[in-house]
Amino acid sequence: MPLCPRLMDLGPSYQMLRSLKVLLFSAVGDLPSNPLITAEKLPRSIVLHYLFSAAPPPLQSPHQLAGWDIRQYSAWLDEHPSEDDRLAMISATVDSYVRTVRSQGQKEFPVQYLTIVKLLTPRTE
């Protein structure tokens, strides 16, 4: 007998987990227009963390820039459940990356960066 006969009864967390599968099979540049993201079924911070994980090493994750290990970052996320707080930390990470790239005289950015910027840009209805 299954633990839960109807998986959808597991609620929003289960639905979010299932939605993550879509990220794995989507082109990075297509993510900002993905219906799961535009309908906010997936928090932007989750999508942004996924993009950091797929980015080249110079585009560090927020915890790497802060000098934290995963446990410390997980604790910070638990203490800051607000999506605005999480997006602010991610935005600060991206700002730091841009300063580093410009100080090195580089002019090109990886597709993950461009997608992150699009997802951080406030939506206008």
Side-chain angles (χ1 to χ4, degrees):
M1 177 172 202
L3 293 174
C4 184
R6 290 185 36 192
L7 292 176
M8 294 314 277
D9 290 344
L10 294 174
S13 294
Y14 174 75
Q15 292 172 11
M16 225 184 311
L17 181 62
R18 287 197 41 102
S19 297
L20 284 174
K21 184 169 93 172
V22 173
L23 292 181
L24 301 175
F25 300 103
S26 296
V28 170
D30 294 339
L31 291 176
S33 60
N34 186 299
L36 291 171
I37 297 164
T38 57
E40 296 187 13
K41 291 183 181 182
L42 271 175
R44 285 186 291 156
S45 62
I46 289 176
V47 178
L48 292 165
H49 282 105
Y50 166 73
L51 289 168
F52 279 111
S53 75
L59 182 52
Q60 296 181 330
S61 295
H63 77 279
Q64 293 170 316
L65 187 65
W68 297 341
D69 61 28
I70 295 293
R71 182 187 53 75
Q72 291 169 306
Y73 190 48
S74 180
W76 186 90
L77 290 170
D78 288 344
E79 294 166 6
H80 296 84
S82 163
E83 184 71 354
D84 289 341
D85 288 349
R86 293 172 178 197
L87 293 175
M89 179 137 187
I90 291 168
S91 184
T93 301
V94 171
D95 292 344
S96 175
Y97 171 72
V98 170
R99 284 191 302 276
T100 300
V101 168
R102 288 191 177 144
S103 73
Q104 295 172 351
Q106 297 175 11
K107 297 191 185 335
E108 293 185 25
F109 295 92
V111 66
Q112 292 88 352
Y113 164 80
L114 300 172
T115 304
I116 288 169
V117 169
K118 285 179 187 174
L119 289 169
L120 284 172
T121 302
R123 294 187 179 103
T124 55
E125 308 282 332

